[in-house]
Amino acid sequence: MDFSQSLAENTHNIIEKWILAVRNDQQIESADDLSYRAIKNHIPEVFQAMVKVLSPSQEGDIKSIVTASWEHGLLRAEQGFDPSEIAREYRLLRKVVFDAMEADLLQATPTEIIRYMRLIDAVIDEAIARCFNSYMKERLRELEHLQASLTLHNQELTRLINVNQDKLSELAHELKHPLTSIIGYSDLFLRQQKREIPKKDSNVNVEHIERVLRNGRHLLRLINNVLELSRYEAGQLQLQLVSINVTELINNVCEMLEPLAAEKNLRILVDCNSISSEIITDGFQLQQVVTNLVSNGIRYTDSGTISIVCQMLDHEKWAIAVSDTGIGIAPKDQTKIFEPYFRVSSQERPHLPESSGLGLAIVARLVKLLQGEISLVSQPGGGSTFTVILPLKVKI
């Protein structure tokens, strides 16, 4: 039997039933606001190519399937579909096709039924594969465009930092919100790809997406640091004094930064058992200080440990020391490290690209805001120790 002839004669009804099925499928949310033509997309071309491939009277050309499904994937990417929705589209197409062929199949021999069912499955599977391929390429093209945009924004931000401090805070606010959306979108797409499309080239795709995320997160950290510094310089940081548990605060910071340390096989050691629990300060600002000091130690340490030690000094003051076994800081640089945008570098090791030169500048200002003082002991190749002395009770 020539089932392709029956499919060709029922093309219009099959496409109409498929579009209705897509509209009624609650798991294809991306189609909710699309027009009839937008949903229809290139499926008629995919279907016609399928009929041609199935026809025994014509020479089936798989290229027609490839072309039609490729275009389908490109447009679905532009329309914002996710991979699971595209997979459901083809699942519905398969169901509608078999429903339309049911009467003819019942009149065929078992051998004919098996042959045509396998052939249709093979054709639709090929269409899905080509569609996903073009979908992924389009998504990667979008991500590469986002990465290029992030790079340009980063360059522009750096330029404006150097020449126009007055407009800096306003610019940072404008950049922060779309950048947060970009990071969220990229993270969602990365998780979808890891979960739903395990292909042989998926590792390369994941690397592209992770690069976008890394660059986006770095730029967002830079923007947040700029805003923090601007708020301090403008006198807009207001202390919220509460009684805090220092040990718990430091453990929270270590838990947050542990993945960064683990990537470099660094150990984080904590000794804060002797610290008093009756400390009145701004917990958020203190956490910022500790986070910046520990992350700075991780960034400039290739092997060894990061140590955090707390101790009581007297009945009015306490201290926290963050030490690392990193590259150390030359004496000529130690007077500059708390200046905004200064980054330690040398001929042997240039400054790291992810360093903005703002972390320690923010630390110094927050320590002052918390009515404390900070000092440094370091030597090249011998690690660094930052010691922060703070009052047990901050006064307003």
Side-chain angles (χ1 to χ4, degrees):
M1 295 183 66
D2 186 359
F3 292 108
S4 63
Q5 181 64 31
S6 177
L7 287 178
E9 293 173 354
N10 288 281
T11 296
H12 178 75
N13 289 335
I14 290 173
I15 297 300
E16 291 296 314
K17 289 180 179 179
W18 175 80
I19 292 174
L20 181 61
V22 171
R23 281 196 180 279
N24 292 335
D25 193 320
Q26 296 182 355
Q27 296 188 46
I28 308 181
E29 297 179 356
S30 298
D32 290 348
D33 298 323
L34 293 183
S35 66
Y36 173 92
R37 177 175 294 182
I39 294 177
K40 192 175 181 181
N41 192 345
H42 288 78
I43 284 297
E45 288 79 3
V46 174
F47 185 77
Q48 290 296 335
M50 182 191 309
V51 171
K52 185 176 180 181
V53 170
L54 294 175
S55 175
S57 61
Q58 302 183 50
E59 290 189 5
D61 184 3
I62 198 66
K63 289 183 179 180
S64 57
I65 287 283
V66 171
T67 301
S69 54
W70 182 276
E71 294 296 332
H72 180 70
L74 289 177
L75 188 54
R76 286 299 187 245
E78 294 174 4
Q79 292 169 337
F81 277 59
D82 65 41
S84 64
E85 292 176 318
I86 297 175
R88 290 190 68 82
E89 280 192 312
Y90 278 99
R91 189 180 309 163
L92 291 173
L93 179 61
R94 192 191 311 261
K95 181 180 183 303
V96 171
V97 167
F98 281 125
D99 286 346
M101 291 180 60
E102 182 175 359
D104 290 331
L105 287 172
L106 290 175
Q107 301 177 29
T109 66
T111 301
E112 288 177 319
I113 292 174
I114 292 173
R115 177 177 177 272
Y116 274 95
M117 289 184 69
R118 286 179 174 174
L119 191 54
I120 290 173
D121 280 339
V123 170
I124 292 181
D125 287 343
E126 179 65 22
I128 292 174
R130 298 297 178 175
C131 181
F132 274 165
N133 197 356
S134 65
Y135 174 90
M136 293 301 301
K137 287 185 180 297
E138 177 64 16
R139 280 289 193 249
L140 289 173
R141 187 194 65 77
E142 293 174 10
L143 287 172
E144 288 169 357
H145 176 72
L146 290 175
Q147 183 180 4
S149 296
L150 289 175
T151 301
L152 290 175
H153 278 93
N154 198 6
Q155 293 172 348
E156 180 66 7
L157 184 60
T158 301
R159 185 185 69 82
L160 291 172
I161 283 172
N162 295 326
V163 302
N164 194 350
Q165 292 284 349
D166 294 337
K167 297 289 185 179
L168 188 56
S169 180
E170 180 181 348
L171 172 67
H173 275 292
E174 291 296 323
L175 291 176
K176 182 176 180 179
H177 297 296
L179 181 59
T180 302
S181 298
I182 290 172
I183 292 173
Y185 164 79
S186 301
D187 185 56
L188 174 63
F189 185 49
L190 177 62
R191 285 186 281 109
Q192 287 177 339
Q193 173 152 339
K194 287 182 176 178
R195 184 178 66 250
E196 299 178 16
I197 315 178
K199 289 180 174 288
K200 62 182 181 180
D201 59 345
S202 61
N203 288 337
V204 177
N205 296 338
V206 168
E207 288 177 5
H208 286 304
I209 302 168
E210 288 180 337
R211 188 180 302 120
V212 173
L213 284 172
R214 283 196 302 271
N215 289 346
R217 286 168 179 156
H218 167 56
L219 183 53
L220 187 59
R221 284 195 300 270
L222 174 60
I223 290 173
N224 286 334
N225 285 340
V226 168
L227 289 173
E228 188 79 8
L229 194 63
S230 298
R231 283 193 290 266
Y232 177 86
E233 300 293 354
Q236 296 176 350
L237 289 180
Q238 300 296 323
L239 294 178
Q240 304 293 326
L241 302 182
V242 294
S243 177
I244 68 164
N245 185 320
V246 171
T247 302
E248 181 179 338
L249 182 148
I250 290 175
N251 286 337
N252 288 339
V253 171
C254 292
E255 182 178 344
M256 177 177 61
L257 297 178
E258 176 62 31
L260 295 179
E263 287 181 3
K264 303 177 73 173
N265 294 319
L266 302 176
R267 290 187 302 156
I268 300 180
L269 307 177
V270 179
D271 180 8
C272 293
N273 295 328
S274 62
I275 199 67
S276 170
S277 59
E278 296 297 324
I279 293 180
I280 307 298
T281 189
D282 187 313
F284 177 77
Q285 305 301 346
L286 178 60
Q287 180 172 305
Q288 291 287 91
V289 170
V290 178
T291 299
N292 277 332
L293 288 177
V294 176
S295 62
N296 192 72
I298 294 172
R299 186 179 297 117
Y300 288 97
T301 301
D302 293 328
S303 63
T305 60
I306 309 295
S307 301
I308 307 170
V309 178
C310 303
Q311 61 181 354
M312 301 292 293
L313 298 181
D314 53 39
H315 65 283
E316 293 184 349
K317 295 182 179 181
W318 69 287
I320 176 172
V322 177
S323 304
D324 62 61
T325 56
I327 62 174
I329 303 172
K332 65 181 180 63
D333 292 330
Q334 292 183 18
T335 59
K336 304 176 183 177
I337 57 171
F338 297 114
E339 298 176 3
Y341 312 116
F342 178 79
R343 292 181 288 184
V344 175
S345 62
S346 65
Q347 291 182 348
E348 295 76 18
R349 178 165 180 162
H351 64 71
L352 301 180
E354 66 268 21
S355 173
S356 65
L358 291 173
L360 291 178
I362 291 173
V363 166
R365 284 153 178 78
L366 292 182
V367 168
K368 184 177 180 181
L369 186 68
L370 295 173
Q371 301 170 13
E373 56 188 35
I374 185 171
S375 60
L376 166 66
V377 175
S378 181
Q379 59 181 354
S384 303
T385 298
F386 289 90
T387 302
V388 177
I389 298 176
L390 298 165
L392 292 175
K393 184 176 181 179
V394 175
K395 299 176 182 179
I396 297 182

